[in-house]
């Protein structure tokens, strides 16, 4: 059956409310409607093909419609699509938990499932909070607050927003949120402390230490996005930052929560970003790439010590009273397991490291563009920050919506990307070939040049 594009557009406008979208703007335009995917490509209902330069919002690992992943889903659905983890166990959730414990940093050995990055964060916060409440030491029970980073993004549920720091997304809800401590973002291009990169001796870590030294008695945990603050605009922490934070958390008896939702599963060139600094967090959140981008599934991993604090007699009520209806969904777990197996069989991490080098040299030429202020890259995560004035670093005004203009231009040439404000984000699918990567880069380059140098031509 041929899909009627005009009809679908009308129904989309009539019935669908899109996320993070000003619907008045949306409805003024005709949307691109995706019908299927093939490897690194998205295909719309009119048959147009586009390179998927954002991995379908940072999730796709092996490409779309991968036969092994698709088969894993089919096989599991033939057995059972859903059964609950409340009071029962299921086969794929057991196998996957064992696998996750094996591939995550040492010390993490319990897996609590949920279905989105945000829920994995809610769970991490509640576990950390309850962990301290269940200490026999009354001092421990004072530990109720969290440290988070300015510009942090941990998802859109109320708890996750409470530890979020992006005013654009979060300011509206302030009265709804719980309070905590905020520390400066390691954003070296625009250092919030006004320091110069490489000469600062990690001054932003000193701020963390000062807060911990003064308030550790009331701090339960610190949550960070290891190496890269994604949604903030691909802000990359300087080397040693995460390791230092780990040391401080240990010193001051504060739980370190690593939100690996964006950076996990090979994205930064190692299976998990924490590995690059030899860090084992106390709690780790994973989601996005976990199922290779096939189904919504997330997990929160914890250490044995944390898990032990929840053990007790029925009457003690030390249970973790939390769960979601689809917790441990067997189809999600089955495809996640297939995703990890294929990653290992194809030595995907090595491929990512190689691709990251190619990408890095391809990105060199962007430095010479008049309106590119900063180019940030970690593995296959890239942020290209556009500025009105390269020398003063003056940002483009919000109203100009420059990022959006650039991605629309790129789309005309067959590339789907999505900006974060004035930052052009590239999140290529991890299996992309050298040729495809080069195409992603060259279309992006041309689109930036066309849009930002338009009035000069
Ligand atoms: C995307 C993201 C989340 C939220 O994940 P959802 O699945 O959208 O709820 C949390 N943390 C980080 C670092 C993310 O990038």
């Amino acid at each position: 059956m041929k899909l009627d594009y005009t009809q679908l557009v009308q129904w989309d406008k009539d019935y669908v409310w899109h996320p993070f979208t000003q619907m008045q703007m949306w409805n003024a335009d005709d949307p691109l409607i995706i019908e299927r995917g093939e490897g690194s490509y998205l295909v719309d209902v009119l048959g147009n093909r586009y390179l998927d330069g954002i991995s379908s919002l940072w999730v796709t690992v092996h490409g779309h419609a991968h036969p092994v992943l698709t088969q894993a889903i089919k096989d599991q659905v033939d057995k059972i699509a859903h059964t609950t983890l409340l009071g029962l166990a299921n086969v794929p959730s057991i196998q996957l938990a064992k696998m996750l414990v094996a591939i995550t940093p040492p010390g993490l050995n319990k897996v609590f499932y949920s279905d989105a990055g945000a829920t994995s964060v809610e769970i991490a916060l509640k576990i950390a909070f309850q962990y301290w409440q269940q200490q026999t030491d009354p001092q421990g029970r004072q530990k109720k607050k969290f440290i988070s980073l300015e510009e942090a993004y941990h998802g859109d549920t109320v708890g996750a927003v409470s530890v979020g720091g992006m005013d654009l997304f979060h300011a509206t809800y302030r009265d709804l949120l719980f309070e905590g401590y905020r520390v400066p973002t390691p954003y070296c291009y625009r250092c919030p402390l006004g320091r110069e990169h490489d000469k600062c001796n990690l001054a932003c870590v000193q701020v963390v230490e000062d807060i911990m030294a003064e308030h550790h008695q009331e701090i339960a945990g610190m949550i960070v996005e290891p190496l890269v603050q994604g949604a903030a605009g691909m802000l990359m922490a300087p080397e040693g930052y995460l390791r230092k934070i780990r040391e401080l958390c240990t010193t001051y008896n504060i739980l370190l929560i690593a939100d690996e939702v964006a950076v996990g599963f090979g994205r930064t060139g190692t299976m998990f970003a924490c590995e690059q600094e030899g860090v084992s967090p106390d709690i780790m959140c994973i989601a996005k790439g976990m199922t290779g981008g096939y189904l919504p599934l997330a997990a929160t991993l914890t250490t044995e010590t944390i898990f032990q604090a929840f053990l007790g007699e029925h009457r003690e009520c030390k249970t973790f009273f939390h769960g979601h209806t689809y917790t441990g969904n067997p189809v999600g777990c089955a495809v996640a397991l297939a995703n990890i197996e294929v990653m290992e069989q194809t030595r995907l991490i090595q491929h990512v490291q190689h691709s990251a080098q190619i990408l890095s040299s391809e990105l060199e030429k962007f430095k010479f563009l008049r309106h590119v202020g900063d180019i940030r890259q970690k593995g296959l995560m890239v942020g290209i920050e556009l500025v009105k004035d390269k020398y003063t670093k003056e940002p483009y005004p919000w109203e100009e919506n420059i990022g959006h203009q650039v991605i629309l231009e790129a789309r005309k040439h067959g590339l789907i990307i999505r900006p974060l404000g004035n930052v052009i984000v590239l999140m290529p699918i991890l299996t992309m070939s050298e040729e495809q990567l080069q195409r992603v880069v060259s279309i992006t380059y041309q689109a930036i040049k066309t849009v930002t140098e338009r009035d000069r031509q």
Side-chain angles (χ1 to χ4, degrees), residues 57-58 115-121 153-157 160 225 228-231 259-263 285 287-288 298:
L57 217 59
W58 316 1
D115 30 49
T119 55
S120 74
V121 169
Y153 179 79
H154 298 291
D156 298 323
T157 51
E225 295 162 79
V228 188
Q229 289 189 269
D259 176 354
E260 289 246 7
V261 170
V263 292
C285 305
K288 290 195 169 93

Side-chain angles (χ1 to χ4, degrees), residues 97-387:
K98 182 170 187 296
M99 173 70 97
L100 290 173
V101 167
I103 64 171
T104 48
L108 296 168
N109 56 15
K110 296 289 171 190
V111 179
F112 194 99
Y113 290 110
S114 62
D115 30 49
T119 55
S120 74
V121 169
E122 296 291 331
I123 289 161
L125 297 172
K126 285 176 71 179
I127 287 179
F129 184 89
Q130 190 171 341
Y131 168 79
W132 291 112
Q133 289 310 300
Q134 293 178 176
Q135 298 298 308
T136 42
D137 169 15
Q139 285 259 302
R141 294 204 290 274
Q142 300 306 311
K143 289 164 94 69
K144 295 181 180 177
K145 293 216 163 106
F146 291 92
I147 303 180
S148 59
L149 271 68
E150 279 160 14
E151 307 297 330
Y153 179 79
H154 298 291
D156 298 323
T157 51
V158 173
V161 170
S162 295
V163 289
M166 295 180 63
D167 269 356
L168 173 63
F169 300 169
H170 301 146
T172 316
Y173 310 106
R174 192 151 292 146
D175 289 347
L176 200 57
L177 311 177
F178 59 76
E179 284 179 11
Y181 292 99
R182 285 283 145 74
V183 295
T185 294
Y187 181 8
C188 300
Y189 177 63
R190 298 180 189 278
C191 176
L193 301 172
R195 303 293 288 268
E196 223 175 298
H197 185 39
D198 285 343
K199 291 185 199 145
C200 66
N201 204 11
L202 293 180
C204 49
V205 174
Q206 191 55 52
V207 178
V208 178
E209 173 147 30
D210 293 347
I211 290 178
M212 286 186 178
E214 195 175 346
H215 302 287
H216 65 94
Q217 302 92 334
E218 55 178 70
I219 297 171
M222 174 162 179
I223 182 164
V224 294
E225 295 162 79
L227 306 190
V228 188
Q229 289 189 269
M234 301 293 149
L235 309 181
M236 310 208 172
E239 209 202 313
Y241 180 85
L242 182 65
R243 195 163 46 238
K244 277 275 178 10
I245 296 294
R246 170 70 276 182
E247 287 166 13
L248 289 174
C249 285
T250 306
T251 305
Y252 290 102
N253 210 10
I254 288 168
L255 298 176
L256 176 63
I257 304 171
D259 176 354
E260 289 246 7
V261 170
V263 292
F265 295 94
R267 182 50 68 182
T268 67
T270 43
M271 194 57 157
F272 296 100
C274 281
E275 291 168 35
Q276 293 186 36
E277 303 237 327
V279 161
S280 283
D282 300 292
I283 303 180
M284 188 162 107
C285 305
I286 52 176
K288 290 195 169 93
M290 188 170 171
T291 61
Y294 281 65
L295 285 170
L297 184 73
T300 308
L301 286 94
T302 79
T303 59
E304 187 65 33
T305 311
I306 293 175
F307 177 75
Q308 290 288 335
F310 288 75
L311 301 183
E313 297 299 327
H314 177 69
R315 62 185 149 76
E316 291 180 83
C317 288
K318 285 184 171 179
T319 305
F320 185 44
F321 291 105
H322 187 111
H324 300 277
T325 309
Y326 281 96
T327 292
N329 173 263
V331 188
C333 291
V335 70
L337 206 51
N339 173 44
I340 298 164
E341 282 164 3
V342 176
M343 283 183 90
E344 289 175 352
Q345 283 154 14
T346 58
R347 298 164 172 254
L348 185 64
I349 300 292
Q350 270 164 276
H351 175 79
V352 170
Q353 288 169 355
H354 180 67
S355 299
Q357 278 170 10
I358 293 167
L359 194 55
S360 165
S361 54
E362 292 286 323
L363 287 168
E364 279 292 313
K365 60 176 180 282
F366 285 66
K367 285 185 190 148
F368 304 104
L369 284 171
R370 276 192 207 105
H371 294 278
V372 169
D374 194 24
I375 303 162
R376 302 184 281 268
Q377 184 200 355
K378 189 64 93 189
L380 292 183
M381 278 179 115
V382 175
I384 302 161
E385 182 166 337
L386 305 179
V387 286

Side-chain angles (χ1 to χ4, degrees), residues 426-439:
L426 301 181
M427 280 280 215
I429 292 178
L430 301 188
T431 49
M432 270 190 186
S433 66
E434 182 166 347
E435 206 185 337
Q436 288 169 339
L437 278 177
Q438 277 160 348
R439 225 176 115 60

